[in-house]
Amino acid sequence: MELPVIDLAPYLETSTKLRSESDCTNLDPEMKSLCEEVSRTLRETGALLVKDPRCSAEDNDKFLDMMEKYFEKPEEFKRLQGRPHLHYQVGVTPEGVEVPRSLVDEEMQEKLRAMPKEFQPATPTGPDRKWRYMWRVGPRPPNTRFKELNSEPVIPEGFPEWKATMDSWGYKMISAIEAVAEMAAIGFGLQKDAFTSLMKQGPHLLAPTGSDLRRHGQEGTVFAGYHYDLNFLTIHGRSRFPGLNIWLRNGQKMGVKVPVGCLLIQTGKQIEWLTAGDCIAGMHEVVVNSRTTDAIKVAIKQNRSLWRVSSTLFAHIASDAVLKPLGHFADSPHGGIYPPICAGEFVEKELAVINLKGRKGEP
């Protein structure tokens, strides 16, 4: 199965004419059908490929070039940007800190054992072998109960282009997510701004990962163990090295290929909450496979960086907003599984599980 590629251009041309409070009954049938394809694909696969004319392959490459340069720096330099007392929600998260949920969640482990062998994820032996850099994108709320989730950004020395590059790529990817969020809302039978109104001043994080393929390039190495994302929607630019596997709602495992110039969207736990489980958080992992090792050989011949960088952005519901099933989803028989909870409180609970909260003494 191949994920469909949705061109956002037609919707972007139409969206300015739609009132946010509109029930979209006057929407062009072809456009409504496209929105329904977005919601259906997110529901059935937990992932979606999009093409946004505002996000070019050149933009993605400029970002990857800078992040490769950063991750190639010595470990002692990178650790200067660590902020463990802020749950690593800004600055760098070193390799060996983040624990994959499949390693600590007993209920998830039972489900994994029940999977057919060919669909089971790789088994991690410890924390993820990846670095991550958290960069807050967008305005912070002037008043919030969750200051640690809305902290000031960290800029490494020697990168004068850092803020401009991070903000430029981050804002472009948020714009793509907002368009998808509006289309999904329409497809789910909600108001156009049902999701985006809750995203305003959310703690959106541009969070590229860096995995050292020179040290950890052996086939089967787990960079990100089987997990879901705790946020609303996740978006990735194309990585220069393959390795991402996702699980469809029917339990089937699928390797993802992101075409040049496209972006990958994945569902997180917050959209599951808002739709009472109609759309569930997509499970995924990043593992070195044969396609990864082939790409490593090409990179060595071309004298390119051997750091696998993912240009990931986590789009969040605002920390002080309440997560609860929206609109007709409030009447779902599964609504009781998703009781109202402040988004910031939900995030803190999730971070505690994967080892990113409460480790204040670590460098």
Side-chain angles (χ1 to χ4, degrees), residues 37-153:
E37 183 179 2
V38 167
S39 60
R40 182 178 65 252
T41 304
L42 291 176
R43 180 190 294 117
E44 293 175 358
T45 70
L48 179 73
L49 291 169
V50 300
K51 195 165 190 177
D52 189 322
R54 301 166 297 182
C55 303
S56 69
E58 291 75 22
D59 292 329
N60 192 26
D61 284 340
K62 181 180 179 182
F63 176 81
L64 292 179
D65 290 344
M66 187 184 75
M67 291 313 304
E68 285 175 353
K69 181 182 169 187
Y70 171 76
F71 284 123
E72 285 166 354
K73 291 286 186 183
E75 182 172 328
E76 56 269 24
F77 171 84
K78 288 181 288 195
R79 284 186 176 272
L80 295 175
Q81 289 87 54
R83 299 293 184 271
H85 61 290
L86 298 176
H87 318 324
Y88 296 105
Q89 291 304 285
V90 291
V92 78
T93 306
E95 172 186 322
V97 171
E98 191 171 340
V99 176
R101 196 173 188 105
S102 55
L103 205 62
V104 294
D105 189 323
E106 292 182 6
E107 184 180 341
M108 185 180 287
Q109 289 170 2
E110 283 183 26
K111 290 179 181 177
L112 297 186
R113 286 191 287 269
M115 281 183 179
K117 287 285 185 186
E118 65 270 27
F119 295 157
Q120 288 183 1
T123 304
T125 55
D128 288 338
R129 292 176 178 174
K130 68 176 189 295
W131 291 73
R132 187 190 292 284
Y133 206 101
M134 295 288 210
W135 178 262
R136 172 66 195 267
V137 179
R140 278 174 287 278
N143 298 297
T144 177
R145 289 169 48 204
F146 304 95
K147 288 185 169 52
E148 289 180 330
L149 299 181
N150 294 275
S151 303
E152 289 296 324

Side-chain angles (χ1 to χ4, degrees), residues 202-230:
H204 311 308
L205 289 167
L206 181 55
T209 63
S211 304
D212 188 353
L213 293 169
R214 197 177 296 278
R215 290 177 57 222
H216 303 303
Q218 300 78 22
E219 192 165 344
T221 300
V222 180
F223 285 132
Y226 181 82
H227 68 288
Y228 61 76
D229 291 341
L230 60 86

